[in-house]
C-alpha cells in the first residue's frame, strides 16, 4: 500500500519532481556540513576538557610550553591553575574556576551531541524524501520514454 507521501509524489509532474529532488539533495548536503561542523566543535571541546584536566594535575611553578597558536608555543610557568580563561566565542573570554571551566565544556558537549542527534534524524528524513522523489522521477521518465522496437 502506498503511503500518503508517495501518492503525493506520484501526482507531481516530472519538473516538480526534479525540483524537489534537487532541493532535498541540497538540504541534505547542508545538513551534512552542519553535522561535520558539530563533530569538529565537539572534538575541540573534548580536547579542551582534557587539557583542563591535565592542567589541574600540574604543580604550581612547573615549567611548561604555552600555546599561542596551533603551531606556536612559548615557554612559561604555571602560576595559578585554579583560574582559567574560557573562550565563549566571537573573541570573548570569561575567567572561571577550573571546575566551572570543566563544567562549561561538558555542558557544551552535551548540547552539541543533542543538536547532532536531532540533525541526524532530520537529515535521514530528507535523504529518504530525496530517494523517494528520485525513484518516482525515474519511474515517470520510463513511462514517458518511447519503448524501443
Amino acid at each position: 500500500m502506498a503511503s500518503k507521501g508517495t501518492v503525493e509524489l506520484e501526482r507531481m509532474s516530472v519538473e516538480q519532481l526534479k525540483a524537489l529532488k534537487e532541493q532535498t539533495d541540497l538540504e541534505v548536503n547542508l545538513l551534512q556540513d552542519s553535522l561535520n561542523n558539530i563533530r569538529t566543535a565537539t572534538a575541540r571541546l573534548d580536547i579542551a576538557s582534557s587539557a583542563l584536566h591535565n592542567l589541574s594535575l600540574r604543580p604550581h611553578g612547573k615549567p611548561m610550553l604555552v600555546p599561542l597558536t596551533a603551531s606556536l608555543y612559548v615557554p612559561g610557568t604555571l602560576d595559578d591553575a585554579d583560574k582559567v580563561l574560557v573562550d565563549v566565542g566571537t573573541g570573548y573570554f570569561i575567567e572561571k574556576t577550573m571546575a566551572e571551566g570543566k563544567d562549561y565544556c561538558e555542558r557544551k558537549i552535551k548540547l552539541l551531541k543533542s543538536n547532532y542527534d536531532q540533525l541526524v534524524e532530520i537529515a535521514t528524513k530528507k535523504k529518504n524524501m530525496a530517494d523517494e522523489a528520485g525513484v518516482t522521477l525515474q519511474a515517470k521518465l520510463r513511462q514517458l520514454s518511447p519503448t524501443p522496437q
Side-chain angles (χ1 to χ4, degrees), residues 51-71:
L52 285 174
H53 175 71
N54 292 338
L55 190 62
S56 68
L57 300 177
R58 291 183 173 264
H60 294 288
K62 176 152 177 122
M64 60 188 290
L65 291 175
V66 179
L68 294 182
T69 67
S71 60

Side-chain angles (χ1 to χ4, degrees), residues 25-38:
D25 284 341
L26 179 64
E27 290 173 4
V28 168
N29 288 338
L30 290 173
L31 288 169
Q32 289 296 334
D33 289 344
S34 295
L35 289 170
N36 289 336
N37 291 339
I38 289 175

